[in-house]
Amino acid sequence: SWKMTPKFTLEFGMRFAHLGPWYNRDGNGLVVFDPSRYNPNASLADNTGLLWNAKDSSIPLSGNEARALFYLPRLGFAYNLFGAGKTVLRGGFGVFTYHDPQQPYDGVIDIGAGVRQTTANGPLTLTQIESYVPATVKIDPRALNPTDTRQPTTYSWSYTVQHQLASGTMLEASYVGNKSQYLMNRDSANINVVPLGAMLNNPNGDPNDYRPYKLYGTINFYRHDQHQNYNGLQVLLNRQKGRINFLSSYTFSKALGIRGGAQGARADSLDIRQHNYGVLRYDRTHVFNVSYSIMLPDFAKTWMNGNKVAGGFLDGWQFSGIS
C-alpha cells in the first residue's frame, strides 16, 4: 500500500496459487484422448487414442499435468477528488482462479475401470441387444485433453465514485465488470460430430461411418474453452444515522456467455462461439433492493412525562422491512 500523495493511494499485490489436480484413488488414472495416437486401422477393442496411467505410465493419474503456479495480480486505488474527503474515486482489478467442480471428472474414470458405454439405434430385439459387447460395437467415451493445464479464471474490475451527502447519507455509483475464461466445456464437448451435410446422399446410413474418428461414436472431449462476461451499473444510496436508516441499490447489467445444456439451450458442437453466445439463464437486467429501519418516537417519554408503565408498552418500537 503506497500513499503517493495526500489525495492518492495505490495498492497492489500478487497471489500465487497451486491447485492440485483431480485423480481417482483406485490407481487406474483419469482417461485422456490423444488424437495423434489414434489409429484408424486398430480394432474396436484396442480403444485407440484413449490413454490412462494403468495403460500408459507416461500419463499422470490426473490425466494431464497440473500447473505449478497460477499468478494472480491485484491492483487498487483511491483518489480524494477535492481534498475534503467527501468525494472519492476508487477502482480495482484482480485475477482469480478456482478449482474445477468434480464434474465431469467423475465420468473420465470409466474406460480405465473397464466400463463401456455405447448408443444402440432401435428398434432392437433382446437378442440384438445382447450382441452389443465392447469388441463388436463402437463406444461413446468420455476423456480429458492431455495438454490442457488451464483452470477457470476470472478477470474482475470496478470503478466507483462515492459522495457523502447531508444527514449521514452516502451515494455511490459503480461500473463493475468481469470476464471468465477457460471454463470447463461439458455441454458441447463432442469432437466426433458428423460433419454438416456429410449424409445428404445417404440419409439412412450409419452416422458413425461419417465421424472423423470412425472407431467411436460420440467422444466427449472435456477441455477448458468456454467463456462468459458480466457488465453492470450499480448505484447505492444508504443512510446510517439517527432514527431513520436505509440501504437501497439498483443494478442495470447484462451477463453473456456460451449457452449450453445448463443454460436452457442445446449447444452446437460444430461452432459454439458462433451459435451459442448469448444472454445467460441467470441474467437479471434490472435489480432493485431496499432495506430500512425506523425507530418510532418514544411516546410515553415525550408526551406522558416518562411514565415507566406506559413506556414499557409504547416506547422502543422499531419498524423495519426489506423490498
Side-chain angles (χ1 to χ4, degrees), residues 160-295:
T160 302
V161 176
Q162 295 174 308
H163 182 67
Q164 183 177 349
L165 304 175
S167 301
T169 304
M170 177 73 73
L171 176 64
E172 179 178 308
S174 304
Y175 161 60
V176 177
N178 64 62
K179 179 180 180 180
S180 296
Q181 294 190 132
Y182 314 134
L183 305 180
M184 177 58 80
N185 186 342
R186 290 182 289 171
D187 300 312
S188 56
N190 180 21
I191 61 168
N192 209 21
V193 181
V194 177
L196 190 65
M199 298 183 65
L200 287 177
N201 295 326
N202 188 17
N204 297 319
D206 185 352
N208 287 335
D209 293 335
Y210 295 86
R211 298 184 186 274
Y213 304 100
K214 293 182 172 58
L215 294 176
Y216 296 110
T218 296
I219 301 177
N220 284 315
F221 190 56
Y222 301 120
R223 68 269 190 204
H224 298 93
D225 68 351
Q226 294 199 351
H227 58 87
Q228 63 186 40
N229 61 74
Y230 169 89
N231 291 278
L233 167 68
Q234 301 178 0
V235 181
L236 185 72
L237 181 66
N238 70 64
R239 184 178 191 269
Q240 302 293 327
K241 183 180 180 180
R243 288 182 170 269
I244 299 177
N245 293 267
F246 62 85
L247 173 64
S248 61
S249 63
Y250 168 71
T251 299
F252 172 64
S253 65
K254 188 64 65 178
L256 301 168
I258 302 298
R259 294 168 52 84
Q263 301 296 338
R266 185 170 180 82
D268 182 355
S269 297
L270 294 171
D271 190 350
I272 60 173
R273 289 175 176 81
Q274 179 174 343
H275 298 123
N276 282 89
Y277 179 79
V279 179
L280 298 175
R281 181 175 62 178
Y282 48 80
D283 172 75
R284 299 293 181 269
T285 304
H286 302 282
V287 178
F288 174 76
N289 297 282
V290 60
S291 61
Y292 47 88
S293 172
I294 303 173
M295 293 297 299

Side-chain angles (χ1 to χ4, degrees), residues 9-312:
T9 300
L10 180 67
E11 295 185 354
F12 52 91
M14 177 73 76
R15 170 173 287 190
F16 304 90
H18 174 75
L19 302 179
W22 289 98
Y23 64 93
N24 74 308
R25 62 184 178 185
D26 294 327
N28 290 318
L30 304 186
V31 177
V32 302
F33 179 70
D34 187 348
S36 68
R37 297 178 63 173
Y38 171 82
N39 180 8
N41 300 315
S43 66
L44 293 178
D46 183 62
N47 297 316
T48 178
L50 293 171
L51 304 167
W52 57 94
N53 181 265
K55 179 180 179 181
D56 184 341
S57 60
S58 68
I59 306 298
L61 284 173
S62 57
N64 42 37
E65 297 288 350
R67 185 177 299 183
L69 286 176
F70 287 89
Y71 304 97
L72 310 172
R74 307 283 194 270
L75 177 67
F77 69 88
Y79 181 50
N80 185 352
L81 288 177
F82 306 113
K86 292 188 175 182
T87 305
V88 179
L89 173 65
R90 303 181 188 275
F93 171 81
V95 182
F96 307 84
T97 189
Y98 56 93
H99 212 302
D100 270 320
Q102 181 179 350
Q103 293 180 333
Y105 293 89
D106 56 358
V108 296
I109 65 174
D110 292 349
I111 299 297
V115 178
R116 300 294 183 267
Q117 175 180 309
T118 189
T119 299
N121 296 315
L124 298 172
T125 65
L126 292 177
T127 301
Q128 291 173 314
I129 291 176
E130 290 175 349
S131 69
Y132 271 66
V133 295
T136 61
V137 298
K138 298 177 181 181
I139 61 174
D140 300 327
R142 289 179 284 180
L144 299 175
N145 180 352
T147 63
D148 185 2
T149 62
R150 294 169 171 171
Q151 287 289 340
T153 302
T154 296
Y155 304 86
S156 181
W157 56 87
S158 65
Y159 303 96
T160 302
V161 176
Q162 295 174 308
H163 182 67
Q164 183 177 349
L165 304 175
S167 301
T169 304
M170 177 73 73
L171 176 64
E172 179 178 308
S174 304
Y175 161 60
V176 177
N178 64 62
K179 179 180 180 180
S180 296
Q181 294 190 132
Y182 314 134
L183 305 180
M184 177 58 80
N185 186 342
R186 290 182 289 171
D187 300 312
S188 56
N190 180 21
I191 61 168
N192 209 21
V193 181
V194 177
L196 190 65
M199 298 183 65
L200 287 177
N201 295 326
N202 188 17
N204 297 319
D206 185 352
N208 287 335
D209 293 335
Y210 295 86
R211 298 184 186 274
Y213 304 100
K214 293 182 172 58
L215 294 176
Y216 296 110
T218 296
I219 301 177
N220 284 315
F221 190 56
Y222 301 120
R223 68 269 190 204
H224 298 93
D225 68 351
Q226 294 199 351
H227 58 87
Q228 63 186 40
N229 61 74
Y230 169 89
N231 291 278
L233 167 68
Q234 301 178 0
V235 181
L236 185 72
L237 181 66
N238 70 64
R239 184 178 191 269
Q240 302 293 327
K241 183 180 180 180
R243 288 182 170 269
I244 299 177
N245 293 267
F246 62 85
L247 173 64
S248 61
S249 63
Y250 168 71
T251 299
F252 172 64
S253 65
K254 188 64 65 178
L256 301 168
I258 302 298
R259 294 168 52 84
Q263 301 296 338
R266 185 170 180 82
D268 182 355
S269 297
L270 294 171
D271 190 350
I272 60 173
R273 289 175 176 81
Q274 179 174 343
H275 298 123
N276 282 89
Y277 179 79
V279 179
L280 298 175
R281 181 175 62 178
Y282 48 80
D283 172 75
R284 299 293 181 269
T285 304
H286 302 282
V287 178
F288 174 76
N289 297 282
V290 60
S291 61
Y292 47 88
S293 172
I294 303 173
M295 293 297 299
L296 299 179
D298 293 328
F299 298 102
K301 183 178 180 180
T302 303
W303 293 295
M304 298 182 180
N305 297 319
N307 185 290
K308 294 185 178 180
V309 175

